[in-house]
Amino acid sequence: MPSRSGWLMTFVGFVLLSGPTLAQGFDPGSATGAAGEPMFSVTPSIGYLRSVSTENVYDPLSRSKISQLDWKSEAMTLGGRAALRPFDGVVLRGSLWAAVASEADMRDRDWLFGYRGDDSWSHQSLHPDTRVPKAWQADVSVAYRVIDGGDFAISALAGFRHYDIKYRAYGGSYVYSQNGFRDAVGNFDPSRLGISYRQQWDTPYLGLGTTYRGETLSLSAELYGSPASFGRDRDYHALRYTLFTEKFSPSAMIGANLAVEYPLTTAFSIVGRVDYTKYFEAKGGTRIYDAASGQFARIPKPGAGADAEALNVSLGVRGKI
C-alpha cells in the first residue's frame, strides 16, 4: 500500500514525465469557442480518494438506533475526463475514476441496552484490516453556457452519477456485553472474513458552474445537488452466514468541485482538481437471508439507513483540440 508521500511523488512524476513529453510531441493549437472552450479535450489523471460509508440499523417502531457500522478508506485512483463541444456554448462531459490501491478500517457498534448517545454502546468491534476490492465512480453531464463575459462564464449543469464502493473487514478485536456491561474482550481470527459491505448510489443532478480564464491560470468551480439520490447496499456477515440487503427511499445529494489549469502549450495543460460529494442518510427496509437455515425475514422501513461521503483530489494532463 503506497504511503501518502509515495502518492505525492507519483503525482509529481506523472506530471513531469507525461506533460512535457506530450507537449513536445504534439502542439496543433486549439479550436476554441467563446469562453475558451476547446472542441474536444481529454484529461487522464491520478488521484487520492478519501471515502466514508455509514450503515445504520434502527428499531422500526421506536426508531432508536440499534447498530452503526462506520467504514473509512483512503485510496489511490486512476481516472480521466473527456469533453466535447458539439455546439457553441454546449459541452458534453464524461468522467470515470477507479481505486487501484487502498487502505481502510471499520468500526461496528451496537446499542442493545438502549441508545443514550454514541458512547453508550454495549458491543463494539474494530477492524483495522479492512480492504477495498472495488471503488469507482462514473459521471456524464451537459453544461450549457448561460452567461458569457469573455474571460468569465456561468453555465447550467445537468448530469447523472453512479458511485460504487465495496469493503471487506477481516479479523479485528471486540468488546461485548455478555454477562455484564462490556465484560467480554477478545479477537477474531485474522485470516477470516468478518463482514463484506457494498454501497451504491445513482443520482440525477442539476447545478451551476463558473469559469475564469486568465493569462496564465484558468479557474473553474461547480456546485450541484439532487433531492433524489437512489441508494442500495448489501451487508454480508460471514461469521453468521447472514445477508442483509436494502433499497432506500430517495435522499439528498450535494457536491462541488474546484479546478485550476495551467497551460504548458496551446494544446496541453496541467489540471489540479478537488471533487467532493455527500450523500445524506437514506432510510429503507431490510431483507434478511440466513444461509444456514435458508430462511428469509424482513424488517420494515425505517429499519435501515445509509449515507456516504467521497473526496477525490486529482492531478492530470489535459490535451485539447
Side-chain angles (χ1 to χ4, degrees), residues 92-104:
L92 306 178
R93 313 179 306 176
S95 66
L96 175 70
W97 58 253
V100 294
S102 65
E103 59 183 15

Side-chain angles (χ1 to χ4, degrees), residues 300-311:
K301 179 184 177 181
D307 59 78
E309 292 182 73
L311 173 69

Side-chain angles (χ1 to χ4, degrees), residues 164-247:
D164 189 341
I165 188 165
K166 183 176 182 179
Y167 305 86
R168 287 178 177 167
Y170 292 83
S173 60
Y174 63 84
V175 178
Y176 288 167
S177 301
Q178 294 182 344
N179 299 315
F181 187 65
R182 300 181 183 176
D183 63 320
V185 178
N187 296 286
F188 299 106
D189 182 346
S191 66
R192 293 198 62 183
L193 173 66
I195 300 175
S196 174
Y197 181 63
R198 183 181 182 185
Q199 194 178 80
Q200 297 171 278
W201 299 88
D202 291 309
T203 312
Y205 63 84
L206 298 174
L208 287 174
T210 181
T211 59
Y212 172 76
R213 300 185 181 278
E215 293 183 1
T216 57
L217 287 178
S218 296
L219 304 175
S220 67
E222 296 178 349
L223 179 66
Y224 44 87
S226 173
S229 182
F230 299 88
R232 60 190 184 275
D233 67 10
R234 291 172 59 90
D235 181 8
Y236 178 59
H237 288 238
L239 301 180
R240 296 158 51 190
Y241 302 101
T242 305
L243 176 65
F244 302 84
T245 58
E246 287 99 12
K247 289 186 177 181

Side-chain angles (χ1 to χ4, degrees), residues 11-29:
F11 273 27
V12 174
F14 176 81
V15 173
L16 293 180
L17 292 176
S18 63
T21 301
L22 291 173
Q24 293 170 9
F26 179 64
D27 187 4

